[in-house]
Each structure stands twice: as C-alpha cells, then as structure tokens.
C-alpha cells in the first residue's frame, strides 16, 4: 500500500512523504519538497551586502541563522576582522532564536503527537486558558465536521498519553510556551533590531550599540526563557520519554552526523565554538571539509549537472524531469548520507568531549533512561537533544552577554573587494547551514546555500541511497497503515522546514 502523508502539517512549508507499507512495515519512503523558490538565482548580480538581508527571507523561523551564515561567508570574502562586540552580538541574536525555535517545535509542532488533547474534556478547573481550550475542543467535536478546525484537531488516530494530569499540564504549557517564545524573540530583537528578519546583522558585526540598558533587558528576557526550559520544557520531554520508551529505538537515520559547530567563542577565524564541529561517521569523528560536500540531483527537479561541489553549484529548474520527485537536492559528504540537527550537535560534541555540560547532561540522561549513546539517533533522541541544546545555550547567553564591552565598536568597516569568495558555516536550529559567496566586479557572481532540511529531507542520491529522514522511516512498524502516527512522529522529530530546504 502506498500512502501520501502530505501535506504534512505542523511543519514549515510544503512537504509530502510517500510511504509504501507492506505487512505493517514501511518498506519505502520518499520525501517530497513540493515548491521551488530560487533564492540563489535571485542573488546573482546583486550587491554582495544584500545577501545577509535577502537570504534571511528564505525563512521566517530561522532567518538569523541565514543572516549570520551569509555574514560569515562575506567576512571571509572581504577578509574582515570582526570586533569582539560584533561577534558576541551575533551569538546573542542567534542563540535567542534557537531557544524560541526549540520551544515552538516541541509545544506547537510535536507535543500533540503524544498529548491527548481530548483529555481537556475532563477538565473541571477554572484556568482561563484551559477553559478556552476545552470550549474549543468541545464545540469542534460537537460540530460533526469531517475536519475540525486547527490548531488542536483534527489529528491522527494513535496511542496518546493516558494520564489526565499530564495531558492537561502539557496543554497549559502549550499556551505558556507561546509567551516564552515572545520573550526569546524580543531578546533577539534587542540586538537584532527586529524579528523575524534582522536589520542589524552585517558582515563584520552588528549595527546595534553595546549599551548597559540593552544588556540588562536581554539578560532579563533570557533568564525567563531559561527558567521555563529548566522547570517545564525538560520535565515535559522526560514525561514523553517515560511514556514512550520504544521511541528510543524508532526513527534512527542510517548514515553519519554533521555539525558545523554553534556560537564561536572568540573572533579568531577558526575559533572553537560552544558546541563543537565535526563529521561523525562509523564511530570516528573528523574535521569538516567543505570540499567533500557534493549535491546529487538525480531525483531532484533540476537539470544542472549532478554531484557538483558547493562552490560550483548552480540551479536549472526542470519541473517535468522524469523520476524526479522533489525540489530538494541530495547533499552528500564524501558520498555519504549525514543527519544534521540537535542530535547531530550533541553526538558530535559528546564524541569529542568538548563541552563539559553537554557531556554531563548526556551522561545523566543515559543513566536515567538506561539507554546507550546510540539511542540519541531516534525520535526521542532528537527531542531530548533539543532540550539539552536549549539549556546549554541559555546558560551560555547569560554569560556571553556579560562579555559585551559597552561603548566599544560593534562592527568593523567594510570594503567590498573587486573579487573574492568565502564559505560561512553555522548551526541553524535544524542543523548545519552552509553559505558560499563568490564575488566578481563587486557583484555576486554565484551564491549557494546548503541548508539543514536539504540534508535531512534529501531524496535518493544518484546511487539510489535514501536521505536521512527517508532512511529513518524505512523499516518502521506502523499500527495503522492509513494513519501512520509512527511515521509522523519520526518526521516531526526532524522538524523539517521545506521553505529552507528548497530555498
Ligand atoms: Ni526554515 Fe532553517 C533552520 C535553516 S532548516 S528553518 O533551522 O537553515 O532547513
């Protein structure tokens, strides 16, 4: 039986996933990014300083990561020495965006795969938010509509949490998390100027001033977010894990892991980062080499050559290409499939024992759940890794904001050279993000983005090897071939963003 799970909801963008189920098991999966955008074409011939603005429009969820990856690429191309304040502000903006994004992903996009929203019908208390949710669910169920209204219904049939208090507590946190996300976005806007698309991020630093009042405002907002992460987000993830222990074994991708490293610790060009960079493949970890990244397009709707390196890539859309089933390319590293994202960040860092807090948190959770490090390659592993990322990032942002020197420069002068090129790599919340810029005659001659969901929602490569999310789906047992809640839980654990992946 072949089933289209699309349009997949509670994700960003237009994703279909076609699964083939035989004897209750997914034997084939195809991830289909169903729109073309063409940002790299839009950038050709423009002023290079447009790039960190235009690429932020790739996405409204992770715009800062695009602005910063573009700024890093331009800093290389222009050979800029970024002042400490500028680098710190980039970190403060980007880190706050990660916090917002993890909470959005868990509470609004994933929790209702596990939490039973109909438990609210048993609620007899007076909490205003919960009373409203109860009235909403009641009226939608009573309406007899085939498709009750979002956001709480409709939903797939499945094995939801049975504990009433847990379900109702999670729904309360669903509402609270939106207020906390606002605080994270406000914090990012303190130095970024606005959310979602920052006006203050530039190659060479940030156009905002380093002022005591801004630092204090930022810290107060992040402290509230951190408190929510510790007191609600982590316990909620633990509760889901305790109710669904089999999801430590479900949804593992079959390849390696890539992280470019998140949040540089100094302004040196190859500075260490809060979370380490590396490629983890077959138990060994090696430094990232951008020259080993290629993109196959055998199954993607382009007619440009397949297997090009990043710096050589270009786009020729071919919507009617035979056998092509997606607008997402298939990135490979040395020919291999890699997963990117929160679990990749944790696994790559843990393997190198770079961040002591990550190591301690991971070891504690491995003990608590009696699992092995390999179990982080799973549905629950991705959820838990996001929470670990959130705690480590929130603590770092509070310390990092203390390192701003009020009154010092926050940005350096920019002279665009006649020609130049550069890579800029960072970690967006969904994983490794690489931008490449080539400048000729002081204009953009070529621009290429290799984006987290391009890795994770990759189609087959030219050898027919499935991408990370496809491989995570194949082999999964499903209780109901029509509804496949197991598949949706796997897909949501990757937090795909198709707007980004097709860019
Ligand atoms: Ni549109 Fe993005 C992140 C980037 S994912 S959300 O995180 O880059 O492909």
């Amino acid at each position: 039986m072949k089933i289209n799970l699309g349009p997949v909801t509670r994700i960003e963008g237009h994703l279909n996933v076609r699964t083939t189920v035989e004897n209750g098991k997914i034997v084939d999966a195809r991830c289909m990014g169903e729109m073309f955008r063409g940002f790299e074409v839009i950038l050709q011939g423009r002023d290079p300083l447009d790039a960190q603005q235009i690429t932020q429009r790739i996405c409204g969820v992770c715009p800062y990561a695009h602005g910063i990856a573009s700024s890093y690429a331009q800093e290389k191309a222009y050979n800029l020495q970024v002042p400490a304040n500028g680098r710190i502000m980039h970190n403060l903006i980007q880190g706050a965006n990660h916090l917002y994004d993890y909470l959005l992903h868990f509470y609004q996009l994933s929790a209702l795969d596990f939490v039973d929203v109909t438990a609210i019908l048993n609620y007899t208390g007076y909490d205003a938010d919960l009373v409203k949710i109860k009235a909403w669910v009641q009226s939608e169920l009573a309406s007899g509509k085939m498709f009750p209204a979002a956001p709480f219904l409709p939903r797939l049939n499945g094995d939801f949490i049975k504990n009433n208090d847990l379900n109702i507590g999670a729904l309360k946190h669903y509402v609270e998390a939106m207020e906390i996300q606002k605080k994270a976005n406000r914090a990012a806007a303190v130095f970024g100027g606005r959310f979602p698309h920052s006006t203050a991020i530039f190659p060479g630093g940030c156009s905002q001033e380093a002022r005591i009042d801004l630092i204090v405002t930022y810290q107060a907002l992040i402290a509230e977010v951190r408190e929510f992460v510790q007191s609600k987000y982590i316990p909620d993830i633990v509760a889901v894990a305790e109710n669904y222990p089999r999801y430590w074994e479900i949804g593992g991708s079959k390849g390696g892991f890539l992280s470019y490293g998140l949040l540089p610790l100094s302004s040196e060009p190859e500075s260490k980062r809060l979370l380490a960079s590396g490629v983890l493949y077959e138990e060994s970890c090696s430094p990232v080499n951008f020259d080993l990244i290629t993109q196959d397009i055998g199954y993607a709707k382009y007619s440009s050559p397949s297997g090009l390196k990043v710096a050589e890539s270009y786009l020729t859309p071919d919507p009617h290409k035979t056998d092509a089933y997606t607008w997402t390319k298939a990135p490979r590293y040395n020919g291999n499939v890699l997963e990117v994202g929160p679990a990749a960040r944790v696994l790559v860092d843990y393997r190198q024992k770079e961040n002591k807090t990550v190591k301690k948190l991971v070891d504690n959770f491995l003990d608590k759940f009696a699992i092995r490090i390999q179990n982080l390659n799973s549905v629950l592993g991705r959820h838990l890794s996001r929470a670990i990322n959130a705690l480590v990032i929130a603590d770092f942002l509070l310390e990092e904001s203390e390192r701003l020197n009020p009154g010092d420069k926050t940005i350096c002068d920019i002279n665009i050279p006649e020609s130049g090129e550069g890579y800029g790599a960072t970690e967006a919340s969904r994983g490794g993000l690489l931008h490449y810029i080539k400048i000729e005659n002081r204009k953009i001659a070529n621009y290429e983005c290799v984006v987290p969901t391009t890795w994770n929602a990759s189609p087959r490569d030219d050898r027919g090897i499935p991408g990370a999310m496809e491989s995570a789906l194949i082999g999964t047992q499903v209780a109901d071939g029509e509804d496949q809640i197991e598949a949706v839980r796997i897909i949501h654990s990757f937090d795909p963003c198709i707007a980004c992946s097709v860019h």
Side-chain angles (χ1 to χ4, degrees):
M1 164 166 71
K2 279 194 200 315
I3 289 277
N4 285 322
L5 299 175
V8 179
T9 56
R10 297 201 178 100
I11 62 154
E12 212 300 310
H14 303 9
L15 173 67
N16 184 18
V17 178
R18 181 175 301 156
T19 59
T20 307
V21 176
E22 286 174 7
N23 302 321
K25 192 195 240 188
I26 298 176
V27 294
D28 191 31
R30 307 228 160 192
C31 293
M32 304 169 171
E34 301 205 306
M35 58 183 170
F36 174 70
R37 302 188 75 207
F39 271 76
E40 287 130 333
V41 179
I42 294 168
L43 284 160
Q44 305 246 345
R46 289 192 176 256
D47 187 312
L49 279 176
D50 287 349
Q52 80 282 352
Q53 279 301 322
I54 290 176
T55 56
Q56 285 191 67
R57 271 71 187 173
I58 289 173
C59 186
V61 190
C62 66
Y64 300 140
H66 285 289
I68 283 169
S70 180
S71 296
Y72 290 172
Q74 293 179 66
E75 283 160 11
K76 280 268 162 54
Y78 312 159
N79 197 18
L80 299 184
Q81 305 300 317
V82 183
N85 273 352
R87 188 255 313 158
I88 292 168
M89 280 187 189
H90 281 173
N91 284 349
L92 298 180
I93 296 166
Q94 193 180 358
N97 185 235
H98 273 245
L99 298 179
Y100 147 71
D101 208 344
Y102 298 143
L103 296 177
L104 168 75
H105 172 258
F106 181 66
Y107 287 100
Q108 276 69 47
L109 304 182
S110 300
L112 297 183
D113 291 348
F114 303 99
V115 171
D116 183 359
V117 71
T118 64
I120 198 73
L121 300 174
N122 303 322
Y123 181 66
T124 52
Y126 299 99
D127 179 280
D129 293 328
L130 293 175
V131 167
K132 269 193 225 157
I133 296 175
K134 181 177 176 178
W136 179 282
V137 172
Q138 254 170 346
S139 77
E140 287 302 313
L141 288 177
S143 72
K145 289 181 210 159
M146 191 178 196
F147 295 111
F152 300 111
L153 295 165
R155 61 176 188 173
L156 297 178
N157 290 316
D159 51 334
F160 293 100
I161 290 174
K162 296 203 170 47
N163 179 324
N164 246 349
D165 292 345
L166 192 53
N167 283 318
I168 291 171
L171 289 171
K172 177 69 184 160
H173 296 170
Y174 178 108
V175 178
E176 285 177 22
M178 289 193 271
E179 288 304 312
I180 299 295
Q181 286 162 44
K182 270 196 231 164
K183 291 180 199 284
N185 287 340
R186 271 195 220 136
V190 166
F191 296 109
R194 66 200 276 267
F195 178 87
H197 301 115
S198 168
T199 45
I201 297 169
F202 281 88
C206 194
S207 63
Q208 180 59 286
E209 293 172 282
R211 293 199 325 250
I212 297 277
D213 59 324
L214 298 180
I215 297 170
V216 171
T217 305
Y218 181 90
Q219 290 174 336
L221 291 162
I222 295 294
E224 284 190 73
V225 180
R226 191 216 180 271
E227 168 58 24
F228 185 89
V229 167
Q230 179 149 49
S231 65
K232 308 219 164 127
Y233 179 33
I234 290 184
D236 286 340
I237 296 279
V238 167
V240 168
E242 286 173 346
N243 277 272
Y244 294 87
R246 70 183 185 287
Y247 277 87
W248 291 118
E249 306 282 348
I250 293 176
S253 65
K254 293 160 194 81
F257 297 90
L258 162 70
S259 170
Y260 294 126
L262 176 65
L263 306 181
L265 301 177
S266 84
S267 300
E268 297 307 311
E270 304 307 328
S271 160
K272 282 200 178 267
R273 296 184 174 194
L274 173 69
L275 297 174
S277 71
V279 175
L280 183 56
Y281 195 78
E282 290 180 345
E283 300 296 310
S284 85
C285 204
S286 52
V288 181
N289 178 351
F290 302 138
D291 287 336
L292 296 180
I293 299 172
T294 53
Q295 298 180 93
D296 281 1
I297 53 146
Y299 292 89
K301 298 179 181 183
Y302 303 100
S303 56
S304 20
S306 195
L308 293 179
K309 292 185 178 185
V310 177
E312 298 160 351
S313 290
Y314 63 94
L315 280 184
T316 312
D318 187 357
H320 306 298
K321 182 171 154 186
T322 316
D323 290 338
Y325 60 88
T326 180
W327 288 101
T328 304
K329 296 181 187 175
R332 294 294 182 263
Y333 187 89
N334 209 10
N336 297 316
V337 175
L338 300 181
E339 173 178 334
V340 298
R345 281 195 283 282
V346 167
L347 287 166
V348 164
D349 193 284
Y350 184 86
R351 184 72 170 70
Q352 300 175 89
K353 299 189 174 52
E354 287 272 342
N355 185 310
K356 302 279 174 292
T357 315
V358 168
K359 167 116 182 46
K360 199 165 147 203
L361 285 167
V362 170
D363 285 339
N364 284 346
F365 283 120
L366 296 185
D367 273 357
K368 180 176 179 59
F369 296 116
I371 52 170
R372 296 168 307 144
I373 188 71
Q374 291 83 345
N375 292 106
L376 292 193
N377 179 14
S378 65
V379 168
L380 287 178
R382 293 183 197 101
H383 286 297
L384 179 66
S385 296
R386 274 188 198 90
I388 292 172
N389 274 253
L391 197 56
V392 171
I393 291 169
D395 281 340
F396 174 76
L397 296 179
L398 291 172
E399 293 163 15
E400 181 81 334
S401 53
E402 290 285 328
R403 289 188 272 269
L404 279 176
N405 273 321
D408 280 6
K409 275 174 73 155
T410 61
I411 188 165
C412 61
D413 291 339
I414 302 169
N415 285 312
I416 298 176
E418 180 72 25
S419 64
E421 63 176 345
Y423 283 104
T426 185
E427 286 287 309
S429 11
R430 284 159 200 74
L433 173 63
L434 182 65
H435 282 208
Y436 168 79
I437 190 169
K438 184 180 175 83
I439 296 165
E440 281 169 7
N441 303 321
R442 294 201 170 84
K443 298 280 184 222
I444 298 174
N446 195 16
Y447 205 98
E448 182 68 15
C449 309
V450 187
V451 180
T453 302
T454 318
W455 286 96
N456 286 341
S458 147
R460 264 72 178 153
D461 58 29
D462 290 1
R463 293 176 300 154
I465 312 283
M469 197 155 80
E470 292 181 341
S471 74
L473 287 160
I474 294 170
T476 304
Q477 293 288 146
V478 293
D480 176 346
E482 295 283 339
D483 263 12
Q484 296 186 24
I485 195 163
E486 299 85 354
V488 172
R489 286 172 178 157
I490 293 170
I491 296 166
H492 282 166
S493 73
F494 282 94
D495 191 11
C497 173
I498 304 308
C500 276
S501 77
V502 300
H503 50 277

